Amino acid sequence: MRKVEIELMTVTPLFLGGSDPRSGQPPELRPPSFRGAMRYWYRAVLGGVVGDKNLQAVRQLETMVFGSTDVGSPISLRIRGNLKWSLHDILPHKNAGKRNAFNPEQTFWLTMSASPACPDLVWTNACMALNLMLTLGGVGLRSRRGMGSLQVVQSSNLQLVPVFPKQESEVEEFVEIVIRSAIRHIQALADYKKIAMHGLPKAPTQFPCAARDADIRLYRMKATDGVKAVAELMKLFPKQKWLGGISPRQASPVWARVFKVDEGYRCLFTLLPSKLVQESHDYSKVKQWFENTVGQACVLVKGWNS
């Protein structure tokens, strides 16, 4: 059985609810939360490979890796660890509302394995999905705003799942390698299934995915710990419906992921130019805010945003 074991560090509080998150019970390390995050980022690259209009192809390739209601997945996840938890501010920049979460600066183990009948291409695609989730996103509540940020500190297979760099100067190249590898393996799987591949879609896309206006930027922070890092980055977000909200329900097109290097805490912002709920919401405002606020050079990756 193919298997990879990785040790993950919690960079920021990890809000993972139990069977009843409103009961005040301890958070739980549950594989479905990780599978859902992996699926999201895998779909994001799929859109850049087969296009955002060919939803049937997206579902077909996604199902091969993660399964569906009718087809079981050949990939399984197992998580082990004894993490300490406590009450944490959901909005640390406002000091408003608390919920149980796993504390930062702890490690646990995640094991991903494939069934004996799983094709090699499907297995490597699952590893790429794991890398994408750990590099660009997070897990659990408020993961679009820096909570639930994790990074790999040990790996049983560095070629499939690499360790996150310790130096700030190495992060940009690391991000490029992770995304390029994911694109290459997804292209191979699409070619194997004889699915047509298209050029990058134009913004706004039908769902959050790689596109010509997708953007990734590194942001230098002054924070001394993970919670303060989230509080600092949250102050950058204006209260605008085009950056996400409840009424109307709109997921934010911007992801903020906190990481730790020897120089301190930094943030990786990812903009996925997906279609907004209301047509009256001008997507150009999102792009303008992103460029003016986050600043610094965009990470360009062929097949992702160039």
Side-chain angles (χ1 to χ4, degrees), residues 147-167:
M147 293 298 190
S149 293
L150 307 166
Q151 59 191 65
V152 182
V153 293
Q154 285 192 70
S155 173
S156 64
N157 190 326
L158 294 174
Q159 289 185 326
L160 286 177
V161 184
V163 169
F164 197 85
K166 295 183 179 180
Q167 302 293 324

Side-chain angles (χ1 to χ4, degrees), residues 5-272:
E5 292 184 297
I6 58 174
E7 185 181 16
L8 293 169
M9 180 181 71
T10 57
V11 182
T12 58
L14 180 57
F15 291 94
L16 291 178
S19 56
D20 185 3
R22 294 171 295 181
S23 66
Q25 292 180 346
E28 296 180 17
L29 285 172
R30 303 176 66 242
S33 300
F34 290 78
R35 291 181 69 93
M38 289 169 58
R39 195 167 193 148
Y40 176 94
W41 288 104
Y42 186 70
R43 187 183 303 139
V45 178
L46 277 175
V49 173
V50 303
D52 65 326
K53 306 291 193 300
N54 192 353
L55 297 181
Q56 182 177 354
V58 170
R59 293 191 187 99
Q60 181 180 354
L61 295 176
E62 188 179 304
T63 299
M64 289 184 69
V65 180
F66 296 103
S68 66
T69 54
D70 301 318
V71 180
S73 171
I75 305 299
S76 62
L77 297 178
R78 184 167 60 88
I79 302 172
R80 54 187 169 87
N82 186 21
L83 300 184
K84 295 180 180 179
W85 57 274
S86 60
L87 281 172
H88 286 272
D89 290 312
I90 300 174
L91 304 173
H93 63 302
K94 291 184 177 181
N95 233 4
K98 293 179 180 291
R99 186 174 292 191
N100 292 331
F102 292 114
N103 300 332
E105 304 293 326
Q106 301 183 91
T107 63
F108 63 97
W109 287 89
L110 183 148
T111 301
M112 185 169 71
S113 56
S115 65
C118 178
D120 290 339
L121 267 176
V122 173
W123 165 242
T124 53
N125 270 255
C127 293
M128 297 304 107
L130 179 60
N131 291 337
L132 288 166
M133 181 268 285
L134 294 172
T135 302
L136 300 178
V139 180
L141 180 70
R142 304 294 295 173
S143 57
R144 291 176 190 260
R145 295 294 182 263
M147 293 298 190
S149 293
L150 307 166
Q151 59 191 65
V152 182
V153 293
Q154 285 192 70
S155 173
S156 64
N157 190 326
L158 294 174
Q159 289 185 326
L160 286 177
V161 184
V163 169
F164 197 85
K166 295 183 179 180
Q167 302 293 324
E168 181 182 355
S169 59
E170 300 172 354
V171 173
E172 183 174 341
E173 182 181 4
F174 179 84
V175 172
E176 292 177 1
I177 291 173
V178 166
I179 296 176
R180 282 202 308 266
S181 297
I183 292 171
R184 185 172 69 252
H185 283 87
I186 290 175
Q187 287 173 335
L189 186 61
D191 183 63
Y192 171 72
K193 297 300 294 183
K194 295 182 171 53
I195 292 175
M197 290 174 270
H198 301 278
L200 285 173
K202 297 180 181 179
T205 54
Q206 296 299 310
F207 60 91
C209 67
R212 294 182 189 178
D213 282 334
D215 210 336
I216 300 174
R217 300 187 185 228
L218 297 173
Y219 184 78
R220 186 171 293 177
M221 317 177 83
K222 299 179 181 179
T224 55
D225 62 55
V227 175
K228 291 178 180 177
V230 174
E232 182 178 330
L233 71 87
M234 279 300 300
K235 293 177 182 178
L236 301 175
F237 286 84
K239 192 174 182 179
Q240 296 289 344
K241 291 184 177 180
W242 37 263
L243 279 175
I246 299 176
S247 181
R249 186 65 181 173
Q250 168 70 58
S252 175
V254 179
W255 284 79
R257 175 258 199 274
V258 176
F259 62 91
K260 185 180 181 182
V261 287
D262 289 345
E263 296 87 347
Y265 289 84
R266 303 290 184 263
C267 186
L268 191 69
F269 285 89
T270 302
L271 170 61
L272 297 178

